[in-house]
Amino acid sequence: MDYTLVKILHIGALIMWLGPPLGAWLMLRQAKAACEDDTQLFEQYRLFYRLIALEHVALLFLLGSGLWLASQYALWPSPWLQQKLILVFAVLVPIELVDLVLANVLLPRIHQKQYDGGRLTTWQQTLQSVYHGPFTYFAVFVIPLLTLSIMYLVVSKQTLF
């Protein structure tokens, strides 16, 4: 496969990884403030979780295309790539794994139970609060900083540390 095509697909996956979750989060914040009907708010949560699923598909493609580029063009010994991989696999992937489990498995079930009139356990309420509070704020702060750092490494081919 051509380097330029894979690189364009890699950058496209980056955009699809960053754009939908930020848009979904902003949409959900607005919906929480504006929706008076539980059914409308539940539908907004369902849309939110669908967009988060799209984010994770894009992330898988982003990681796969990046690893393919590094392998195909023998970039593994490059110090900038090694630092990029540290940032990606030591910081970014763990955040995304937590997000994957919460947003694609646990929280949709919790919101469905809540919508169906079921009583949530303290643990389920805490999970909701942590995900839609501190975890999301942490991710919204850290992921753009990581992305900018990774972009610096890729463009400059110099190391950060």
Side-chain angles (χ1 to χ4, degrees), residues 137-159:
Y137 290 117
F138 174 77
V140 166
F141 177 75
V142 170
I143 289 175
L145 289 177
L146 281 171
T147 303
L148 288 174
S149 300
I150 290 167
M151 286 180 171
Y152 172 80
L153 290 167
V154 171
V155 172
S156 72
K157 305 289 191 254
Q158 297 178 17
T159 58

Side-chain angles (χ1 to χ4, degrees), residues 95-109:
I95 292 170
E96 288 296 334
L97 285 174
V98 170
D99 189 44
L100 179 81
V101 170
L102 291 176
N104 292 308
V105 179
L106 299 176
L107 290 174
R109 292 177 187 164

Side-chain angles (χ1 to χ4, degrees), residues 10-159:
H10 185 68
I11 293 168
L14 173 70
I15 293 166
M16 291 304 296
W17 170 65
L18 290 173
L22 181 59
W25 178 66
L26 293 171
M27 177 265 322
L28 188 59
R29 284 179 49 127
Q30 181 66 29
K32 284 181 183 179
C35 287
E36 297 174 5
D37 181 7
D38 285 343
T39 302
Q40 287 178 330
L41 187 57
F42 176 71
E43 290 301 321
Q44 295 298 316
Y45 272 106
R46 286 183 53 188
L47 178 59
F48 173 79
Y49 294 128
R50 285 184 189 142
L51 289 170
I52 295 300
L54 176 63
E55 166 204 5
H56 294 123
V57 170
L59 177 63
L60 289 174
F61 193 82
L62 181 63
L63 293 172
S65 61
L67 293 172
W68 185 87
L69 287 166
S71 295
Q72 192 69 22
Y73 296 97
L75 299 173
W76 297 113
S78 306
W80 65 269
L81 179 63
Q82 292 172 10
Q83 285 190 359
K84 176 183 173 181
L85 293 174
I86 289 169
L87 293 175
V88 168
F89 288 103
V91 183
L92 192 64
V93 168
I95 292 170
E96 288 296 334
L97 285 174
V98 170
D99 189 44
L100 179 81
V101 170
L102 291 176
N104 292 308
V105 179
L106 299 176
L107 290 174
R109 292 177 187 164
I110 291 171
H111 278 103
Q112 183 68 52
K113 179 180 177 182
Q114 188 176 27
Y115 178 72
D116 291 340
R119 186 170 169 87
L120 299 184
T121 65
T122 304
W123 178 81
Q124 290 170 326
Q125 291 172 352
T126 302
L127 209 53
Q128 271 185 324
S129 296
V130 168
Y131 180 79
H132 290 292
F135 178 79
T136 299
Y137 290 117
F138 174 77
V140 166
F141 177 75
V142 170
I143 289 175
L145 289 177
L146 281 171
T147 303
L148 288 174
S149 300
I150 290 167
M151 286 180 171
Y152 172 80
L153 290 167
V154 171
V155 172
S156 72
K157 305 289 191 254
Q158 297 178 17
T159 58

